[in-house]
């Protein structure tokens, strides 16, 4: 968690490994019954998105400026082991809030089982359930009623979304995710994240 660049690099290396492991197999596998390579077994993808995070945290006491939302950034790699089910590994920077005379930050690595339900040749509904290993850091001024400190831990994550397929390789994804993270002094709290991104299949 301390080096975000190394996390992103690890995910890209994983994506390349997934693609290499499936490429030879995919060339010898016939197209699925839908007639579209988008639904062939074993397809992998890498994606990136930008969004808006929503922290369900208290603002403390006193006349301190407090935020609830910030810009989020996500990177993910995944693979469908069948036409509809697969797994995804992702990293999200949920952003930084000005809160209680200090700052609150959160980030997490997520591993999820993912599902895809085609509604047409160009439109899919998406769902995911998994776990996020989150790391949070809170600093606050004395008298703010907010506890400073860092926390790390594993929590449940859920997600729903929609995918529009431009080509067999490129699609746009709109999704909402809910992550359960630990924060100093407040136990566990949720962060919602609405994002829009692109996904490249290989």
């Amino acid at each position: 968690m301390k080096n975000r660049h190394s996390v992103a690099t690890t995910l890209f290396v994983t994506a390349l490994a997934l693609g290499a492991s499936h490429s030879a197999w995919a060339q010898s596998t016939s197209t699925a019954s839908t007639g579209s390579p988008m639904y062939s077994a074993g397809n992998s993808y890498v994606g990136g998105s930008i969004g808006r995070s929503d922290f369900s945290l208290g603002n403390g006491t006193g006349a301190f400026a407090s935020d609830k939302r910030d810009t989020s950034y996500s990177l993910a790699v995944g693979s469908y082991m069948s036409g509809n089910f697969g797994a995804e590994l992702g990293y999200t920077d949920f952003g930084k809030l000005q809160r209680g005379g200090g700052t609150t930050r959160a980030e997490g690595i997520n591993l999820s089982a993912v599902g895809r339900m085609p509604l047409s040749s160009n439109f899919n509904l998406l769902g995911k359930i998994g776990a996020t290993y989150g790391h949070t850091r809170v600093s606050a001024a004395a008298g703010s009623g907010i506890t400073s400190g860092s926390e790390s831990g594993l929590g449940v994550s859920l997600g729903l979304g929609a995918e529009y397929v431009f080509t067999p390789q490129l699609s746009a994804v709109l999704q909402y995710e809910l992550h359960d993270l630990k924060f100093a002094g407040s136990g566990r709290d949720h962060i919602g994240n609405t994002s829009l991104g692109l996904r490249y299949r290989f």
Side-chain angles (χ1 to χ4, degrees):
M1 291 291 187
K2 294 182 180 179
N3 191 327
R4 297 178 185 177
H5 295 293
S6 66
V7 172
T9 300
T10 299
L11 292 180
F12 273 117
V13 170
T14 303
L16 293 176
L18 287 170
S21 66
H22 289 303
S23 60
W25 180 89
Q27 290 175 3
S28 62
T29 302
S30 61
T31 301
S33 59
T34 59
S36 169
M38 188 67 190
Y39 305 109
S40 61
N43 62 83
S44 300
Y45 60 87
V46 60
S49 63
I50 184 170
R52 194 71 169 167
S53 58
D54 188 353
F55 289 66
S56 61
L57 294 170
N59 293 331
T61 60
F64 296 103
S66 292
D67 299 327
K68 283 286 190 180
R69 300 172 179 84
D70 196 22
T71 303
S72 64
Y73 302 93
S74 300
L75 179 66
V77 294
S79 183
Y80 284 93
M81 277 64 78
S82 71
N84 301 97
F85 298 101
E88 181 180 282
L89 175 67
Y91 166 77
T92 300
D93 180 349
F94 296 103
K96 177 179 68 174
L97 305 181
Q98 300 300 318
R99 177 172 165 262
T103 60
T104 296
R105 302 170 183 262
E107 57 188 337
I109 293 178
N110 174 264
L111 179 63
S112 291
V114 295
R116 174 176 60 188
M117 181 170 63
L119 297 183
S120 71
S121 60
N122 294 96
F123 190 76
N124 303 316
L125 292 182
L126 306 174
K128 62 169 65 174
I129 182 170
T132 298
Y133 184 82
H135 180 66
T136 63
R137 299 179 298 281
V138 178
S139 64
S144 66
I146 295 174
T147 303
S148 298
S150 297
E151 288 284 356
S152 297
L154 199 64
V156 176
S157 65
L158 302 169
L160 291 173
E163 178 183 30
Y164 185 81
V165 181
F166 299 108
T167 72
Q169 285 75 41
L170 185 65
S171 63
V173 174
L174 174 67
Q175 61 183 347
Y176 175 78
E177 298 171 309
L178 194 62
H179 301 265
D180 183 34
L181 303 183
K182 293 178 67 176
F183 288 87
S186 62
R188 310 196 71 88
D189 280 284
H190 293 103
I191 297 181
N193 189 50
T194 303
S195 63
L196 179 64
L198 293 175
R199 188 176 282 184
Y200 180 78
R201 190 187 69 83
F202 56 94

